Amino acid sequence: MNPSHEKTSSKQSIGTEMMKCVADLFPLHRSITGDGVRKTFQYLQHFAPVEIHEVPTGTQVFEWTVPQEWAVNDAYIAGESGHRIVDYLKSNLQVLSYSQPMKGRFTLDELRDHLFTLSRDLDASWIPYRTAYFRDAWGFCVSHRQMERLEKHTGEVFDVVIDSEFYDGNLTYGEIEFPGESDETILIYTHTCHPSLANDNLSGIAVATFLARQIEARVKQGETLKRTYKFVFAPATIGAITWLATNKDSLNNIYGGLVLSLLGDQGDFTYKKSRIGDSLIDRAACLTLKNGLSARYKVREFTPFGYDERQFCSPGINLPVGCLMRTPNAEFPEYHTSADNLDFISEKSLEDSLKIVSRITMALEHNETPINQSPYCEPQLGQRGLYRAFGERDDRGRLQEAIVWILNLADGKHDLLEIADRADLPFETIIEAVAVLRQHNLV
Ligand code: ZN
């Protein structure tokens, strides 16, 4: 599986490339372990330097244990004529993730406890996504239409096969690091354990990967990053716990971070704050959204539900890590169903999500607390050439405004995020103004 982007990237929009990445990864059968995840990371290596880490089955990570690997070769429910009514080979959602193996003949009544369906008010063709992690269970996820077909054959005996295996292996996670001038680290985390679902986890994977590609391009062009960037791609819950346990001693370096998920749908952005509530990432994300691509966005307080911000914001760890989504988990009908497919996400949403995440991380990277080198009233900006500095640019008024705000608040007590917020100016304008002030030795 090779992405065909390499020769055509200059012609395609980045949203088109991101969509192709999602489409290529969509068929792979990912779970919390296994080859689907490895193949996903190997594919991502075409875009960004993902380092693959393997943590052996049985490794103790805080209170948890890395599980055995799981693989499925085939799974189906067939009627007496041999025709498959439920067929894993047509959709990897049909088998309960981490299902125990099973082979036997069952009546529908005997099967019912092992069939998982969606609520009746959803589309009859949708298949749910369900898992059996850390418990012994076997079963199938079926649509109501499939259920009706099974019911038509009530009285018959069905052939049931789940050809799955469990074996000692590894939990696989991916990491990319771009060292900066400072060890202070900007963390981007996304989960990688969902099979054929587009918005829930592939959109986050694509945004993280393409952001890493952009940062790699900056480094290759000779730019020195101000802070270190770290990207982590890992299965939800057990992967985040494994990564945190493995990196326990360097967590103090985390300056701010984002869990990325659900970034391909058409909904407004939703930022869920870190448990700290007013940490650097909370301020950077809120500021960026305020000056963002759309006037409509939501900010929510932290709750111990949702994605892996649960682990990053747990006692003893309590990192400045928030979560960026569009429509939050479980708040759209397609969530965890086969309708979370390629049609549910759009190139534009992926591309706009990348823009916002890139701006939030740039704000974290460039944040600093400036000190005015010419205090005691305002310096003479005209005499220092600061009015001419912006030429005839359309936004020179805003840049001059930014200069006045920075000089006023640069007393060592206010960082650039706060200055941008109080000035009600985009962070990018503030960074540019700081650069000009620095050239003139004013900060
Ligand atoms: Zn999910």
Side-chain angles (χ1 to χ4, degrees):
M1 186 172 54
N2 275 316
S4 57
H5 74 285
E6 282 146 25
K7 292 272 181 289
T8 53
S9 57
S10 55
K11 289 174 211 146
Q12 288 180 344
S13 76
I14 200 158
T16 307
E17 284 189 90
M18 292 172 83
M19 188 59 124
K20 181 173 182 338
C21 170
V22 170
D24 284 346
L25 293 174
F26 188 78
L28 295 179
H29 191 183
R30 281 165 293 273
S31 185
I32 51 174
T33 64
D35 279 341
V37 180
R38 288 190 189 93
K39 285 181 187 152
T40 299
F41 294 154
Q42 285 157 7
Y43 174 83
L44 295 179
Q45 286 173 333
H46 291 104
F47 300 93
V50 182
E51 222 177 82
I52 299 175
H53 296 259
E54 304 277 6
V55 182
T57 300
T59 305
Q60 200 65 32
V61 285
F62 299 128
E63 208 184 279
W64 297 61
T65 308
V66 171
Q68 287 194 305
E69 282 195 38
W70 176 75
V72 192
N73 304 307
D74 195 7
Y76 60 85
I77 303 173
E80 282 175 350
S81 64
H83 180 74
R84 291 184 177 202
I85 299 169
V86 175
D87 187 358
Y88 164 79
L89 299 178
K90 290 194 178 145
S91 166
N92 57 34
L93 295 175
Q94 299 256 234
V95 68
L96 187 68
S97 198
Y98 263 67
S99 171
Q100 294 291 327
M102 181 49 61
K103 190 171 170 40
R105 292 169 60 76
F106 295 87
T107 64
L108 182 56
D109 280 343
E110 290 166 334
L111 262 180
R112 278 190 199 275
D113 283 350
H114 302 279
L115 300 178
F116 301 90
T117 52
L118 290 163
S119 95
R120 279 273 171 200
D121 50 358
L122 293 176
D123 190 294
S125 68
W126 293 1
I127 302 164
Y129 164 56
R130 298 278 186 276
T131 66
Y133 300 143
F134 301 99
R135 63 191 170 94
D136 282 348
W138 66 271
F140 294 88
C141 304
V142 298
S143 67
H144 282 292
R145 202 157 286 159
Q146 288 173 321
M147 201 66 194
E148 280 162 21
R149 290 184 61 198
L150 292 168
E151 276 161 358
K152 264 194 203 151
H153 295 266
T154 306
E156 282 186 26
V157 177
F158 296 98
D159 260 330
V160 172
V161 169
I162 300 176
D163 179 6
S164 65
E165 20 175 1
F166 289 83
Y167 47 91
D168 286 351
N170 292 281
L171 177 149
T172 313
Y173 70 84
E175 235 182 341
I176 311 174
E177 185 174 293
F178 298 109
E181 278 172 353
S182 157
D183 287 344
E184 289 176 339
T185 299
I186 298 160
L187 178 75
I188 296 293
Y189 176 93
T190 190
H191 64 287
T192 54
C193 52
H194 289 30
S196 296
L197 297 172
N199 200 32
D200 193 0
N201 107 173
L202 283 175
S203 67
I205 291 173
V207 172
T209 304
F210 279 73
L211 179 66
R213 189 176 78 161
Q214 286 180 347
I215 292 167
E216 189 185 29
R218 288 171 57 200
V219 173
K220 281 186 174 163
Q221 282 161 14
E223 193 179 329
T224 305
L225 305 172
K226 292 211 177 313
R227 292 193 164 89
T228 297
Y229 281 85
K230 170 97 78 180
F231 292 78
V232 179
F233 302 80
T237 310
I238 185 66
I241 292 169
T242 300
W243 187 82
L244 285 164
T246 310
N247 292 276
K248 202 165 81 246
D249 297 333
S250 57
L251 298 178
N252 283 343
N253 287 339
I254 292 177
Y255 184 73
L258 279 177
V259 170
L260 300 182
S261 186
L262 306 174
L263 289 168
D265 65 272
Q266 325 281 325
D268 299 327
F269 286 107
T270 305
Y271 175 68
K272 177 179 164 186
K273 288 183 182 179
S274 74
R275 194 175 72 140
I276 301 164
D278 60 351
S279 67
L280 286 161
I281 184 61
D282 302 316
R283 293 162 55 219
C286 293
L287 179 73
T288 307
L289 288 169
K290 191 171 86 175
N291 296 294
L293 304 162
S294 151
R296 287 158 51 98
Y297 64 91
K298 294 176 228 104
V299 175
R300 292 191 176 179
E301 296 300 325
F302 176 80
T303 57
F305 309 100
Y307 290 104
D308 283 315
E309 63 278 7
R310 303 185 331 266
Q311 319 308 336
F312 290 107
C313 299
S314 58
I317 293 180
N318 201 26
L319 293 170
V321 173
C323 176
L324 188 73
M325 304 166 272
R326 285 175 175 271
T327 312
N329 48 300
E331 295 183 23
F332 55 97
E334 295 84 356
Y335 175 72
H336 279 189
T337 78
S338 55
D340 180 359
N341 57 26
L342 298 172
D343 294 334
F344 184 64
I345 62 168
S346 78
E347 292 180 7
K348 184 173 186 318
S349 293
L350 290 170
E351 188 165 338
D352 286 351
S353 296
L354 175 62
K355 279 184 196 154
I356 285 289
V357 175
S358 167
R359 288 182 60 196
I360 295 171
T361 53
M362 279 299 248
L364 283 180
E365 184 187 332
H366 289 272
N367 190 38
E368 59 174 299
T369 304
I371 299 197
N372 186 334
Q373 300 300 317
S374 180
Y376 307 112
C377 304
E378 291 172 343
Q380 288 202 34
L381 298 179
Q383 219 171 63
R384 289 173 181 261
L386 275 166
Y387 289 126
R388 292 189 304 276
F390 305 118
E392 291 305 307
R393 287 172 53 163
D394 289 346
D395 59 348
R396 64 183 184 282
R398 291 213 301 189
L399 280 158
Q400 277 157 4
E401 209 183 307
I403 280 187
V404 175
W405 271 106
I406 295 162
L407 287 172
N408 184 276
L409 290 173
D411 58 359
K413 295 192 182 111
H414 310 278
D415 64 10
L416 294 183
L417 287 168
E418 184 187 341
I419 296 173
D421 195 35
R422 285 178 68 170
D424 201 18
L425 288 168
F427 196 79
E428 292 79 358
T429 309
I430 297 289
I431 301 179
E432 216 183 321
V434 168
V436 171
L437 288 169
R438 191 150 282 146
Q439 279 163 18
H440 290 79
N441 301 318
L442 280 168
V443 292

